[in-house]
C-alpha cells in the first residue's frame, strides 16, 4: 500500500483524534437544518433539505466505492485524506469534509433563482450553478492536493486536464445534478423514494464491505 494509505488507515475512526471544534461545527449544521425544516414546514417546500441530504448522500456513495478501490487494489483509493483531522471516517473522508457536504447542497439550492427555468448564459440556472459550484470545488481540491492534504494516486485522477475533468464530473457535478433531479420530483413521496435509494446503495455496500467482509477502509 502507498504511504498515504497506510497513514490514513493507521488512524481510521480513531475517537482519540476528536477535537473540541467538532462541537460548534456540529451545532451549526444542526441549526441550519432545523431552520430549513422549520421554514419548509411553513411553506410546504423542503427542497433545501432534500438538496443538502442528496449531495451528502452521493458523497457517501463516492467515499464508499473509493474505499472499496483501496481494498480491492491493496494499494490506494482514488483519493486519500491522510492529513490532520478531528476524525477520519474513511480513507478519503473525514468529519470536516462531511460537515461541508451536508451544507454544500443547501448553499447551492439557495443560489438558485426563484424561477428554476430561468437561464444563465443559455443554461438552466440550476445547471449553471451546478457547474459553478463543481468548478470551484475542484479549484479548492487542487490546493488541498498541492498541500498534501488530499492525495491523488492514479494518473487518470490527478492534476492533469483529463484528471481534473474526471474529478469535476464524478467528484462534484453528479452531486449537484442529483440535487437538481430530486428537487424537480413532483411529489414528496417521489423525493423521499429518491433519497432512500441514494442512501441505500452505500449503506448496503458498507454492510457488505465493513460488516460481512470485515474490510477496513
Amino acid at each position: 500500500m502507498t504511504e498515504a494509505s497506510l497513514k490514513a488507515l493507521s488512524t481510521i475512526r480513531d475517537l482519540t483524534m476528536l477535537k473540541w471544534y467538532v462541537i460548534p461545527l456540529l451545532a451549526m449544521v444542526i441549526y441550519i437544518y432545523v431552520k430549513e425544516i422549520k421554514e419548509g414546514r411553513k411553506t410546504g417546500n423542503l427542497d433545501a433539505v432534500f438538496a443538502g441530504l442528496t449531495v451528502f448522500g452521493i458523497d457517501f456513495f463516492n467515499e464508499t466505492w473509493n474505499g472499496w478501490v483501496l481494498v480491492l487494489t491493496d494499494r490506494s483509493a482514488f483519493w486519500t485524506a491522510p492529513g490532520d483531522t478531528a476524525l477520519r471516517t474513511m480513507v478519503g473522508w473525514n468529519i470536516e469534509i462531511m460537515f461541508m457536504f451536508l451544507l454544500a447542497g443547501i448553499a447551492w439550492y439557495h443560489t438558485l433563482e426563484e424561477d428554476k427555468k430561468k437561464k444563465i448564459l443559455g443554461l438552466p440556472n440550476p445547471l449553471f450553478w451546478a457547474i459553478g459550484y463543481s468548478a470551484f470545488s475542484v479549484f479548492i481540491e487542487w490546493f488541498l492536493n498541492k498541500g498534501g492534504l488530499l492525495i491523488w494516486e492514479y494518473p487518470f485522477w490527478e492534476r492533469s486536464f483529463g484528471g481534473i475533468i474526471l474529478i469535476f464530473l464524478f467528484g462534484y457535478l453528479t452531486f449537484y445534478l442529483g440535487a437538481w433531479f430530486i428537487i424537480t420530483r413532483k411529489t414528496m413521496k417521489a423525493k423521499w423514494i429518491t433519497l432512500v435509494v441514494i442512501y441505500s446503495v452505500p449503506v448496503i455496500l458498507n454492510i457488505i464491505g465493513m460488516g460481512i467482509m470485515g474490510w477496513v477502509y
Side-chain angles (χ1 to χ4, degrees), residues 204-215:
I204 291 170
L205 288 176
N206 282 303
I207 288 173
I208 294 171
M210 294 183 183
I212 298 174
M213 303 301 295
W215 294 342

Side-chain angles (χ1 to χ4, degrees), residues 8-54:
L9 288 172
S10 69
T11 53
I12 201 79
R13 294 179 286 280
D14 181 358
L15 295 180
T16 64
M17 295 178 66
L18 279 170
K19 305 288 193 303
W20 279 107
Y21 69 75
V22 168
I23 304 302
L25 289 178
L26 176 61
M28 284 188 282
V29 172
I30 292 173
Y31 170 77
I32 290 169
Y33 269 87
V34 168
K35 188 174 178 62
E36 291 294 343
I37 291 170
K38 185 177 181 180
E39 289 297 317
R41 291 175 68 182
K42 288 180 182 178
T43 62
N45 181 0
L46 288 168
D47 283 350
V49 176
F50 279 112
L53 293 177
T54 297

Side-chain angles (χ1 to χ4, degrees), residues 4-120:
S5 299
L6 293 172
K7 184 177 180 181
L9 288 172
S10 69
T11 53
I12 201 79
R13 294 179 286 280
D14 181 358
L15 295 180
T16 64
M17 295 178 66
L18 279 170
K19 305 288 193 303
W20 279 107
Y21 69 75
V22 168
I23 304 302
L25 289 178
L26 176 61
M28 284 188 282
V29 172
I30 292 173
Y31 170 77
I32 290 169
Y33 269 87
V34 168
K35 188 174 178 62
E36 291 294 343
I37 291 170
K38 185 177 181 180
E39 289 297 317
R41 291 175 68 182
K42 288 180 182 178
T43 62
N45 181 0
L46 288 168
D47 283 350
V49 176
F50 279 112
L53 293 177
T54 297
V55 168
F56 181 79
I58 297 175
D59 186 51
F60 181 24
F61 168 68
N62 266 16
E63 297 295 345
T64 299
W65 69 252
N66 186 53
W68 276 50
V69 170
L70 168 68
V71 174
L72 296 175
T73 62
D74 197 31
R75 178 189 174 194
S76 176
F78 276 28
W79 60 90
T80 307
D84 190 31
T85 175
L87 183 64
R88 196 179 328 282
T89 48
M90 292 187 189
V91 290
W93 219 19
N94 56 44
I95 193 69
E96 296 88 351
I97 295 173
M98 293 173 72
F99 286 155
M100 187 277 288
F101 277 113
L102 277 166
L103 298 179
I106 294 177
W108 170 82
Y109 177 79
H110 284 298
T111 309
L112 305 182
E113 301 284 346
E114 288 291 331
D115 179 4
K116 302 300 187 294
K117 295 181 180 179
K118 183 177 180 180
K119 294 188 176 182
I120 301 176

Side-chain angles (χ1 to χ4, degrees), residues 117-133:
K117 295 181 180 179
K118 183 177 180 180
K119 294 188 176 182
I120 301 176
L121 299 180
L123 297 174
N125 79 90
L127 176 58
F128 175 86
W129 288 115
I131 292 171
Y133 271 72

